[in-house]
Amino acid sequence: MNTVLELREVRAGYDGISVLHGVDLSVAAGQVVALLGPNGAGKTTTLRVAAGVHPLRSGRLLLGGRDVTGASARDLARAGVCLIPEGRGVFPNLSVRDNLLMMTFTGRSRRQVEEIAYARFPDLARHASRAAGTLSGGEQQMLALARGLATDPAVLLLDELSMGLAPLVVGRLYEQVAAIAREGVAVLIVEQFAAAALGIADHAAVLVRGRVERRGRPDSVLRAELSALYLGSST
Amino acid sequence: MTSTETRADRFVREIAELKIADPAAGRPRVWQRLGAALMVVGLALGVTAYLVSHRTSSPLVQGDAVTIGLGAVTASVTGGALFVRYSLTGFLRFWMARQSYELTVLADRLLEPGAGRDRAAP
């Protein structure tokens, strides 16, 4: 498979604190990789590093086989790396339509952006004139995803998509994420709600205290190890 | 670009072609701080020049004070420009996007069929 995103021996941190201690991770085109782990493991930092938002202390970030370590987030976003941060990242006071408008910076017209968004999430079309802040949590997350898709991403980085949402809504969102991946987009999901992410993941990595402790297919063994990790018992 | 090119292929091609700026995480912040510092330095130099010129009757020292004052103006203007460049860029970018949107909406409205009918009617 065509590896699109690769992190090699990545170390990163904040001020005097080291968070990532040599993380290796790769995502191929059309593949969904779930990065799981307890709070404070460094999952969000890994995503931020992959998006170019957070600097590396050492290691390498490769996109499409090219070393882009140190490249600005703007350059990476322009090339097709899309980070959907935790907490949805929509403009609550702007309408759904205006939120989508913000994505015309990629060169697409307003109409094209709306067509892409509404084709994937028809519910948004019904609320096009409503302020994004008045939408339900699930609809806001749909809007965040739609905004991401409007950029025509090649790499989609999702941080805690399920946060604060009902399981039914989470399931629907992940169905859409799986559909996006089937179109050839490399998807890296950071998630604490492991069951939902593992349901669509081709590959999973478990991050513990800044290190990938376990990786592989999301089979029953990995699920059991993950449960033990979350519950604090040993297997 | 060929019609059979997948998104991943296009991504690899675009990444290869991408002109990546010199890695400089935090550089804008350094420039912004430098700008603020230069403005403060300019202000301090201006006050210094004023005090120097008023505490002497020597034309030579007053000449020095004028030079210091000009340096103060230069530092302030340069610092102000740097500060504005690196602190307001984000805001101005957003403002321009909004302006662009308003113009597009206006253009759409004007181009709508029958937009000028009311005006043309007797």
Side-chain angles (χ1 to χ4, degrees):
Chain A
M1 241 193 278
N2 194 358
T3 300
V4 176
L5 168 71
E6 195 173 353
L7 279 78
R8 284 189 197 161
E9 274 296 310
V10 166
R11 292 171 190 274
Y14 302 89
D15 298 324
I17 304 161
S18 292
V19 176
L20 302 181
H21 307 279
V23 170
D24 289 300
L25 201 65
S26 65
V27 190
Q31 191 183 33
V32 178
V33 174
L35 184 61
L36 310 165
N39 261 338
K43 303 187 296 294
T44 296
T45 306
T46 307
L47 274 199
R48 286 167 57 83
V49 164
V53 176
H54 193 84
L56 287 77
R57 285 187 178 162
S58 67
R60 294 167 74 194
L61 170 64
L62 289 96
L63 287 175
R66 182 180 174 188
D67 190 343
V68 293
T69 310
S72 72
R74 191 172 53 182
D75 282 338
L76 299 188
R78 207 165 42 201
V81 177
C82 176
L83 169 67
I84 296 181
E86 188 180 327
R88 288 146 207 171
V90 297
F91 297 99
N93 296 326
L94 296 185
S95 67
V96 168
R97 186 172 287 127
D98 284 355
N99 265 280
L100 293 172
L101 167 81
M102 290 296 142
M103 310 320 282
T104 54
F105 76 88
T106 54
R108 285 184 164 171
S109 71
R110 182 166 54 98
R111 196 160 293 165
Q112 283 174 318
V113 168
E114 287 188 27
E115 274 173 12
I116 293 165
Y118 300 155
R120 179 78 65 187
F121 302 105
D123 285 357
L124 293 178
R126 289 192 287 112
H127 304 307
S129 302
R130 270 178 63 183
T134 64
L135 299 175
S136 68
E139 287 165 341
Q140 285 188 35
Q141 199 61 277
M142 281 179 204
L143 179 57
L145 261 176
R147 279 160 47 86
L149 291 181
T151 64
D152 187 22
V155 180
L156 191 58
L157 307 168
L158 300 171
D159 195 0
E160 304 286 359
L161 194 67
S162 69
M163 185 179 269
L165 300 180
L168 197 66
V169 179
V170 174
R172 281 178 57 202
L173 283 169
Y174 273 113
E175 279 172 21
Q176 291 297 333
V177 173
I180 293 163
R182 281 196 294 274
E183 289 168 11
V185 176
V187 182
L188 177 59
I189 304 171
V190 154
E191 189 60 271
Q192 282 201 65
F193 188 24
L198 289 176
I200 64 158
D202 304 300
H203 192 87
V206 182
L207 197 65
V208 182
R209 288 188 288 276
R211 286 187 180 84
V212 177
E213 294 286 344
R214 173 85 162 83
R215 66 178 80 228
R217 294 192 63 77
D219 53 16
S220 54
V221 178
L222 190 131
R223 285 169 199 262
E225 284 184 20
L226 204 59
S227 300
L229 191 71
Y230 277 115
L231 296 172
S233 59
S234 60
T235 52
Chain B
M1 192 173 81
T2 62
S3 58
T4 53
E5 192 180 42
T6 64
R7 179 66 185 96
D9 294 337
R10 185 154 58 89
F11 178 67
V12 171
R13 182 171 55 78
E14 286 172 355
I15 279 286
E17 290 168 0
L18 187 71
K19 285 180 183 161
I20 295 170
D22 185 34
R27 183 177 285 178
R29 190 173 293 173
V30 171
W31 283 112
Q32 191 180 334
R33 284 179 183 169
L34 180 67
L38 277 175
M39 283 195 289
V40 173
V41 168
L43 196 68
L45 284 176
V47 172
T48 308
Y50 176 82
L51 294 175
V52 168
S53 66
H54 275 263
R55 284 178 184 174
T56 181
S57 56
S58 163
L60 287 176
V61 178
Q62 284 178 343
D64 289 345
V66 170
T67 309
I68 293 171
L70 287 173
V73 171
T74 309
S76 292
V77 170
T78 310
L82 279 174
F83 187 80
V84 168
R85 162 69 179 82
Y86 288 98
S87 62
L88 292 182
T89 307
F91 171 76
L92 290 175
R93 212 173 268 151
F94 180 82
W95 176 79
M96 279 184 69
R98 190 76 211 178
Q99 283 293 102
S100 161
Y101 169 65
E102 300 288 352
L103 282 172
T104 310
V105 168
L106 182 66
D108 286 350
R109 204 177 298 150
L110 289 173
L111 291 173
E112 267 173 22
R117 202 175 293 152
D118 292 344
R119 209 185 309 154

